[in-house]
Amino acid sequence: CSEASGVVTCAVGALAVGADRTYTVTVRAAFALGGQTLTNSVVVDGNEGDLDTTNDTDQAQTTVGPAADLAIEKTAGGATAGETASWTIEVLNNGPSTATPVTVADTLPAGTTFRSATPSQGSCSASGSDVTCDLGALASGGGAQIAVIADVAAGIEGQDLSNRATVSAPQPDPNPGNNEDE
């Protein structure tokens, strides 16, 4: 078999009466085709005359699975020793498909204690310093924000508070490099 301009041609050679040959053609679909239905057409032709040309073509349809380019950006709102620190986490679905369920994980820095996490959709919970937010579905082009507040220990004055937030969903992500931020 060979391919030229998206057309696959297979030279079957001699085929006895009642015999058959099977060919499997595998293609890579662009992420932008996520959720769309593709139609593949096949035609068989030979040098000999064909008494029944009605069965010389066929089509098969395949729905391309979803893909969602999730991106996250975390912005510090400030911190005061003995008081609070705040962060805003923004999540964006750059598409092409809906991402669901979307999960954000954020481990608070040492010297802080979880106070609250308020998402624009979904819910958040904490276990120790690990904050997890279940945002549900984000449509292509959609986004959500999370406001995180933590108490800051009095003894860490002058120290930098740094931590990383990550976003994930079960759909393949064509650009995983933008799925985490500090």
Side-chain angles (χ1 to χ4, degrees), residues 10-165:
C10 297
V12 176
L15 192 61
V17 174
D20 62 35
R21 295 247 171 83
T22 301
Y23 294 89
T24 301
V25 177
T26 303
V27 299
R28 184 177 308 262
F31 283 110
L33 296 175
Q36 296 184 32
T37 299
L38 303 180
T39 301
N40 182 26
S41 300
V42 64
V43 177
V44 64
D45 190 12
N47 293 330
E48 293 74 18
D50 190 338
L51 299 176
D52 181 8
T53 59
T54 62
N55 62 359
D56 290 356
T57 64
D58 199 10
Q59 291 184 336
Q61 292 187 335
T62 301
T63 300
V64 179
D69 175 16
L70 294 175
I72 192 167
E73 185 175 324
K74 185 173 186 180
T75 306
T80 303
E83 294 186 23
T84 61
S86 65
W87 297 271
T88 300
I89 300 171
E90 293 191 44
V91 177
L92 179 64
N93 179 1
N94 294 314
S97 305
T98 296
T100 188
V102 176
T103 302
V104 172
D106 185 22
T107 300
L108 298 176
T112 65
T113 305
F114 174 78
R115 180 182 276 191
S116 67
T118 307
S120 60
Q121 70 180 55
S123 63
C124 295
S125 61
S127 176
S129 62
D130 295 327
V131 179
T132 303
C133 297
D134 297 316
L135 301 179
L138 280 181
S140 178
Q145 296 78 35
I146 306 164
V148 179
I149 299 175
D151 292 321
V152 180
I156 64 168
E157 183 176 330
Q159 295 182 22
D160 287 333
L161 299 178
S162 179
N163 64 320
R164 184 175 308 270

